[in-house]
Amino acid sequence: MTRKTNLVLSPTDTRLEPNLRRLLANAEIHRRAEKTVLGAIPDNLRVHCRFLSYHDGDLALSADGSVVASQVRLRQREILEQLRKAPDFQYAWRLKVKVSPPRAMEKAVAKSEPLSNENARLLKQEAGHTKDEGLREVLEKLSRHIKD
């Protein structure tokens, strides 16, 4: 039995390469900034927004759709006012909202519902009239999926 490694990535770990440490430090800064920014966005819009960047007073957000983006733009004064209370965002003066569709979701699993007795009878009847052997087998197999 193999043991799982206890891999913990931390920007202060000196065993890591300098580039990886810098990347982890930047990711941690981004995570903290995102938490602050999303805390200033109203609850009903928060789940549809993502923090992109903050540079030279320009704050960039991403919204799932145009309706959410418009609502964030309409409330930008309120959002920026709330953000300026945080020391990292005290010089935020402009809010840019970009529209990007939500990330791909898992595909819904198709549920197979059993056939009614009437539909099963119609499929079996149609299978009897079909000349194509493969199609007949498929129709007969389908007709056996009935409700108990």
Side-chain angles (χ1 to χ4, degrees):
M1 176 188 259
T2 59
R3 292 180 66 179
K4 289 186 178 180
T5 60
N6 190 8
L7 180 63
V8 177
L9 296 175
S10 171
T12 58
D13 190 355
T14 57
R15 295 175 297 161
L16 300 175
E17 291 291 323
N19 289 338
L20 182 58
R21 280 198 311 256
R22 187 173 52 249
L23 181 65
L24 288 171
N26 288 341
E28 180 62 25
I29 291 168
H30 185 85
R31 186 192 62 78
R32 278 189 269 129
E34 180 176 41
K35 186 177 178 182
T36 304
V37 169
L38 291 179
I41 296 175
D43 293 338
N44 61 336
L45 302 174
R46 184 176 301 146
V47 294
H48 302 288
C49 293
R50 288 190 310 269
F51 169 71
L52 296 178
S53 67
Y54 176 68
H55 185 69
D56 292 336
D58 289 341
L59 176 67
L61 297 176
S62 171
D64 288 348
S66 60
V67 172
V68 174
S70 295
Q71 290 176 355
V72 170
R73 287 183 194 113
L74 285 172
R75 300 179 88 174
Q76 78 177 12
R77 174 172 276 147
E78 170 189 330
I79 293 169
L80 287 173
E81 186 177 302
Q82 182 73 23
L83 271 176
R84 286 188 195 117
K85 294 176 184 175
D88 293 337
F89 295 99
Q90 66 185 359
Y91 298 110
W93 65 281
R94 185 166 57 180
L95 181 65
K96 295 179 185 177
V97 185
K98 299 178 180 186
V99 177
S100 63
R103 295 182 179 147
M105 303 293 238
E106 291 183 23
K107 291 184 178 179
V109 178
K111 295 187 290 185
S112 61
E113 295 195 21
L115 295 172
S116 67
N117 289 333
E118 176 65 17
N119 286 338
R121 185 187 62 76
L122 289 172
L123 279 173
K124 195 169 217 172
Q125 184 180 6
E126 193 60 37
H129 297 294
T130 304
K131 294 179 182 173
D132 184 5
E133 188 65 33
L135 180 59
R136 180 180 306 130
E137 289 176 12
V138 170
L139 289 173
E140 288 173 350
K141 188 175 181 180
L142 283 172
S143 69
R144 290 187 287 255
H145 295 277
I146 59 172
K147 293 180 185 176
D148 290 333

